[in-house]
Amino acid sequence: MEHQQMQDILNKQKAFFIKNGPPSYDLRIDRLNRMKTLIMDNRYKIVDALHADFGVRSKNQSMATDVYTIIPSIEYAKKNLKKWMAGSKRKPNFPLGFLGAKASVDYEPLGTVGMISPWNFPMFLTFSPAASIFAAGNQIMHKPSEYTEQSANLMKELCDAAFDEEEFATILGGPDVGATFTQQKFDHLLYTGSGAVAKHIMRAASENLVPVTLELGGKSPVIVSNSTDSAIAAKRIMLGKTMNAGQICLAPDYIMVHSDKKDELVSGMKDAVGDFYPDLKHNDDYTSIVNQKHYDRLQGLLEDAKEKGAVIDEINPANEDFSQQEAFKIPPTLVMNPTDDMEIMKEEIFGPLLPVKEFTEIDEAISYVNKNDKPLGLYYFGSNKSEENRVLSRTSSGGVTVNDVLGHIQQEDLPFGGVGPSGTGSYHGEEGFKTFSNAKAVYKQIGSRFDKLLSAIRPPYKGDIEKVLKQIT
Ligand code: NAD
């Protein structure tokens, strides 16, 4: 789609908004309900499209991660919308409040939010933020990822049927279309994807001073204390790491385990994979890598680590041969004793490879986290409260889950987002409503009855103005 066509849609959305004013509570609820219906009525088509896009995408997992996990975002917004829309009364400074002035914060919609979404959870990362965007009373222009083409086509078909173009418009295409998309004068731009592309997004948005929310990724560490139950930790880590074959922004990226627990944890992780997936190659519950490009990238990370001295420990419960296969599956693979010069310790892995480092003092793990960019998520396993507090207070990350992985993203009442290089801004719950609203300051001055009192601070100034200022400040 050309620049002019996108601009026409945006102008149409803006004209609609100005003509009708901010959408009422009822209209916002109606939009959220239509979104829920389109997802639930088409859930089997959704999981089929995802399966086709990935080669193998666990339909059971898709039903959970790209259908049912969206519903709490919609329901939570519906439940709290009245309260959020009410805004809040504030206290005007003394003595004007005392004399009848009023102050409040009114949350007004921004207008049209541009939304660029990635391929790893095409539906979830479209409709979960869309719940916040609609709740806040905005319209949406959406550009899904070109990598998951069938899912993108399906989203367009379903959204075109459920919404007017003035409410939700889908624009299909790859990076070229994405680049044109980011040149539009949106009222806000939400981008979910890699940090590398985020730099282009920010640069383009800066031309029109369009505010951005960036949902990025990074290397989310797992710290396993010597106070942890290794078998439980191993199961939870591997469930998170093997889901979507590790193609998750919040996937455990690398493990730092206390030396006393290393052997137990490693054998627990192998057992866990065997329990979840007795075989992998023809098992439709084990998802494949999305395409050849990412498959080659991950194989490259393994080769590089091997060359530089890492021990590669593939977890292949049925001992299958992956050299000939229809999809791009990679078995869960531990990379033992990684060093900082290895590419796998420099870039976000985004696949089923899992480096395992050891530490003996918790501060070693803390300073390793602090040497790197602030991650999207951080996971601490252990029952030592003071150690847990030390880890949480001496590291910074978008979010934290203790004694599990990924858990904080499932909490609707918690903001989801990164910090610094892992992202800017957040959505979910009330924070999502606020991200896509303008917190408008409204001040109503005292009436004419007391207007004379203001003459003390108006020209022509009489006497010592400081005397008056001291009294009123
Ligand atoms: P990506 O950055 O390659 O692509 C994301 C989107 O940007 C796609 O729709 C793509 O078409 C578009 N795009 C690409 N080049 C563009 C350009 N120059 N201008 C405008 N748009 C452009 O990311 P990806 O590979 O789809 O996703 C993987 C990354 O996303 C990982 O880093 C992961 O951690 C991150 N991610 C973050 C979250 C989160 O919620 N924080 C969720 C999922 C993925």
Side-chain angles (χ1 to χ4, degrees):
M1 186 184 278
E2 301 297 320
H3 181 81
Q4 189 56 49
Q5 288 168 285
M6 288 186 211
Q7 207 172 345
D8 290 346
I9 298 173
L10 181 57
N11 288 340
K12 232 166 127 181
Q13 291 205 347
K14 289 195 176 198
F16 174 85
F17 184 80
I18 289 165
K19 179 166 172 264
N20 297 294
S24 64
Y25 168 81
D26 286 346
L27 179 53
R28 297 182 199 199
I29 295 287
D30 175 51
R31 285 176 177 170
L32 291 166
N33 281 336
R34 274 184 275 155
M35 197 159 81
K36 182 177 173 184
T37 305
L38 89 78
I39 295 162
M40 292 311 290
D41 285 0
N42 296 286
R43 59 193 186 280
Y44 298 109
K45 281 189 189 167
I46 288 175
V47 300
D48 285 348
L50 285 161
H51 188 66
D53 280 330
F54 275 76
V56 179
R57 214 309 177 119
S58 165
K59 294 190 183 185
N60 293 309
Q61 179 222 294
S62 293
M63 194 53 93
T65 59
D66 276 272
V67 175
Y68 279 88
T69 42
I70 303 167
I71 306 307
S73 302
I74 297 175
E75 288 303 323
Y76 191 81
K78 280 167 58 186
K79 191 165 159 230
N80 291 283
L81 188 55
K82 247 193 193 128
K83 189 174 75 193
W84 296 340
M85 283 178 74
S88 68
K89 283 201 173 122
R90 302 295 172 93
K91 269 205 164 95
N93 298 347
F94 178 82
L96 295 168
F98 180 65
L99 296 171
K102 290 195 166 48
S104 62
V105 175
D106 291 1
Y107 291 103
E108 64 174 15
L110 297 170
T112 289
V113 177
M115 174 168 67
I116 299 180
S117 56
W119 51 264
N120 61 332
F121 294 98
M123 306 288 168
F124 176 62
L125 295 169
T126 297
F127 294 120
S128 177
S132 295
I133 298 171
F134 270 162
N138 303 287
Q139 296 95 231
I140 296 171
M141 282 176 70
H142 173 219
K143 198 212 78 68
S145 172
E146 68 285 4
Y147 276 14
T148 36
E149 200 181 354
Q150 304 224 19
S151 305
N153 290 340
L154 179 63
M155 273 193 279
K156 179 163 173 56
E157 181 195 319
L158 300 179
C159 291
D160 283 356
F163 299 105
D164 291 333
E165 197 178 44
E166 289 88 345
E167 298 177 297
F168 192 122
T170 308
I171 285 118
L172 299 175
D176 291 353
V177 170
T180 309
F181 190 80
T182 53
Q183 290 160 10
Q184 305 303 317
K185 284 191 180 178
F186 295 118
D187 298 292
H188 196 95
L189 183 58
L190 165 67
Y191 168 77
T192 305
S194 63
V197 171
K199 293 179 189 174
H200 296 286
I201 305 284
M202 264 185 122
R203 217 172 286 133
S206 74
E207 284 299 315
N208 295 311
L209 293 179
V210 171
V212 289
T213 296
L214 303 173
E215 297 286 343
L216 312 178
K219 295 185 79 61
S220 298
V222 185
I223 299 176
V224 182
S225 158
N226 57 356
S227 64
T228 202
D229 176 333
S230 313
I232 300 267
K235 238 185 185 59
R236 294 179 181 179
I237 294 168
M238 289 322 276
L239 184 69
K241 184 66 181 180
T242 55
M243 184 189 288
N244 216 29
Q247 298 162 105
I248 309 183
C249 56
L250 272 176
D253 191 274
Y254 63 97
I255 294 180
M256 284 185 290
V257 55
H258 192 283
S259 303
D260 292 352
K261 291 281 173 175
K262 192 196 90 185
D263 292 344
E264 265 176 44
L265 185 81
V266 167
S267 87
M269 291 196 293
K270 291 179 180 175
D271 290 348
V273 173
D275 290 348
F276 297 140
Y277 312 99
D279 59 300
L280 298 162
K281 194 171 172 181
H282 301 290
N283 183 345
D284 275 355
D285 273 338
Y286 189 68
T287 295
S288 56
I289 305 306
V290 69
N291 56 25
Q292 174 110 42
K293 187 177 150 203
H294 279 279
Y295 178 84
D296 292 345
R297 179 183 63 79
L298 289 161
Q299 295 294 1
L301 291 181
L302 275 182
E303 279 309 310
D304 174 76
K306 208 189 288 179
E307 265 170 34
K308 291 174 180 159
V311 175
I312 308 298
D313 196 349
E314 186 180 274
I315 310 178
N316 185 349
N319 221 4
E320 292 158 298
D321 176 7
F322 285 85
S323 59
Q324 300 288 322
Q325 54 168 326
E326 284 154 28
F328 293 111
K329 285 193 176 182
I330 298 180
T333 304
L334 304 179
V335 178
M336 307 303 296
N337 309 323
T339 48
D340 288 356
D341 60 333
M342 297 175 185
E343 293 307 314
I344 200 164
M345 293 311 288
K346 293 183 193 166
E347 63 175 78
E348 179 182 2
I349 296 170
F350 223 59
L353 318 178
L354 187 54
V356 181
K357 284 172 77 74
E358 285 179 59
F359 67 86
T360 47
E361 296 295 330
I362 195 69
D363 281 356
E364 290 168 42
I366 292 174
S367 57
Y368 192 80
V369 172
N370 287 327
K371 253 182 27 190
N372 296 299
D373 283 347
K374 292 179 180 179
L376 187 60
L378 180 140
Y379 308 116
Y380 172 79
F381 283 86
S383 56
N384 179 336
K385 284 287 154 211
S386 72
E387 188 180 80
E388 177 191 312
N389 287 340
R390 190 165 176 81
V391 170
L392 267 56
S393 63
R394 301 296 167 91
T395 60
S396 176
S397 56
V400 165
T401 293
V402 174
N403 285 322
D404 206 345
V405 297
L406 313 178
H408 60 280
I409 193 181
Q410 289 149 2
Q411 306 308 312
E412 255 325 296
D413 200 13
L414 290 179
F416 173 63
V419 53
S422 56
T424 300
S426 56
Y427 63 91
H428 281 188
E430 188 168 4
E431 281 80 4
F433 176 85
K434 288 184 174 170
T435 291
F436 300 113
S437 297
N438 173 33
K440 186 152 85 177
V442 178
Y443 175 70
K444 297 184 181 172
Q445 185 58 293
I446 55 171
S448 52
R449 203 148 64 94
F450 296 111
D451 191 67
K452 245 185 155 177
L453 292 171
L454 298 175
S455 64
I457 49 165
R458 286 174 178 161
Y461 300 110
K462 303 168 208 89
D464 182 0
I465 194 165
E466 269 202 274
K467 261 192 194 161
V468 183
L469 293 173
K470 273 181 185 158
Q471 276 174 24
I472 63 171
T473 50

